[in-house]
Amino acid sequence: MQRFWKKYFLSEGWVKLWCLIAIALYCGSCVQKDKSYPLVEVPVADAGFYQTSLAEVDALVKSDPGNPDAHFKKAIYLQALGNTEEALTAVKQAIKLDAAPDYLMKEAELLTLTGDYSTALARVSRAQILGANYPDLWHLMARLNYLEGNYNNALTEVTLAINKYPKGLAYYSTKGKIEWALHDTTAALNSFYKSAGHPETEYESLRFLAMIHQSMGDYQVAFELLERNLGKYHNDY
């Protein structure tokens, strides 16, 4: 009887089934909350993960250089490893093979990191003309117009992003900066208090909130907001 069960549960079909169950359970535990519709989901991992993934996708690029998606994924992993210029080269090759909106968005994101805001804005505008209508696209366009000083355009675009994805709390940080630049203090405060609830924008939002309250003479509130940031960033002189 013991031999029967061993043979039955270790058969090829059951091994595959157990593997699928394990993968499903693992993936189910990795669901992220409040995702702002990322175009490409990359698992949270250390440098070793990205280096291994980069080696694999690099091999794919060499074996199939005409595959634009391979170059695109190479750009993603290079960016994750901090190699912005190399990532730009990779995504430009993807665009050369296929000017897909996602590829143009990635190039715009990388160009933003280099400080080339005007070219980045041209790329994301081209992606929009080609039919892209993601919340992240409008948010990136808003960020770029804000950095270029086009505040009214930026406000329209970030509002579109929020309307498309109201749960995108991180978008409110950009909205707050635009409203503050437009001297709308009340709206800026409301936006920053919302974005302070998102882990990716909490620090910056609290910093702006402290600055705004200080400008209003609310020094005790500003002090409390600074203390909240110092609670997590002890070494932030």
Side-chain angles (χ1 to χ4, degrees):
M1 178 65 71
Q2 184 178 0
R3 215 180 330 171
F4 167 79
W5 285 110
K6 185 176 180 181
K7 180 180 179 182
Y8 184 72
F9 281 105
L10 292 182
S11 65
E12 183 180 353
W14 274 95
V15 169
K16 288 181 180 178
L17 178 60
W18 290 122
C19 287
L20 287 171
I21 291 171
I23 291 168
L25 290 171
Y26 175 79
C27 292
S29 66
C30 297
V31 174
Q32 297 177 9
K33 295 181 180 179
D34 191 26
K35 294 183 294 184
S36 299
Y37 282 89
L39 297 179
V40 176
E41 296 181 45
V42 180
V44 177
D46 56 16
F49 169 84
Y50 294 120
Q51 287 167 349
T52 301
S53 301
L54 179 60
E56 292 176 357
V57 79
D58 215 13
L60 178 59
V61 167
K62 289 176 182 177
S63 65
D64 187 10
N67 183 344
D69 196 56
H71 293 281
F72 177 52
K73 287 183 171 64
K74 182 178 180 179
I76 292 171
Y77 292 122
L78 283 166
Q79 181 186 1
L81 289 167
N83 301 328
T84 304
E85 291 299 332
E86 291 182 51
L88 265 171
T89 300
V91 79
K92 283 177 181 178
Q93 183 58 33
I95 293 168
K96 185 177 179 181
L97 294 165
D98 178 13
D102 289 6
Y103 304 165
L104 291 163
M105 281 280 292
K106 177 55 66 178
E107 185 185 11
E109 182 185 331
L110 290 164
L111 286 166
T112 303
L113 295 175
T114 69
D116 190 353
Y117 305 136
S118 58
T119 306
L121 190 56
R123 297 295 182 271
V124 76
S125 297
R126 185 182 174 195
Q128 189 268 325
I129 290 169
L130 290 173
N133 195 22
Y134 320 116
D136 276 353
L137 178 142
W138 293 108
H139 180 228
L140 180 55
M141 195 176 287
R143 283 175 53 207
L144 290 165
N145 269 311
Y146 166 76
L147 291 167
E148 288 283 274
N150 306 320
Y151 301 132
N152 288 311
N153 288 344
L155 184 59
T156 299
E157 289 152 0
V158 77
T159 301
L160 269 171
I162 291 169
N163 287 341
K164 286 183 175 296
Y165 188 51
K167 292 182 180 180
L169 296 182
Y171 296 158
Y172 284 96
S173 178
T174 299
K175 188 170 186 281
K177 284 187 279 189
I178 296 165
E179 290 162 340
W180 180 236
L182 288 169
H183 310 292
D184 191 342
T185 305
T186 302
L189 282 171
N190 289 334
S191 294
F192 282 126
Y193 272 114
K194 288 179 180 178
S195 60
H198 193 287
E200 292 178 7
T201 52
E202 179 186 24
Y203 173 84
E204 185 177 51
S205 299
L206 291 174
R207 185 169 65 84
F208 268 94
L209 284 168
M211 182 172 62
I212 294 172
H213 278 289
Q214 180 184 357
S215 72
M216 295 168 61
D218 298 334
Y219 300 116
Q220 184 58 40
V221 176
F223 181 79
E224 291 169 359
L225 292 162
L226 289 171
E227 283 291 305
R228 276 180 63 184
N229 257 348
L230 283 170
K232 289 187 177 180
Y233 304 93
H234 307 289
N235 299 320
D236 187 344
Y237 296 106

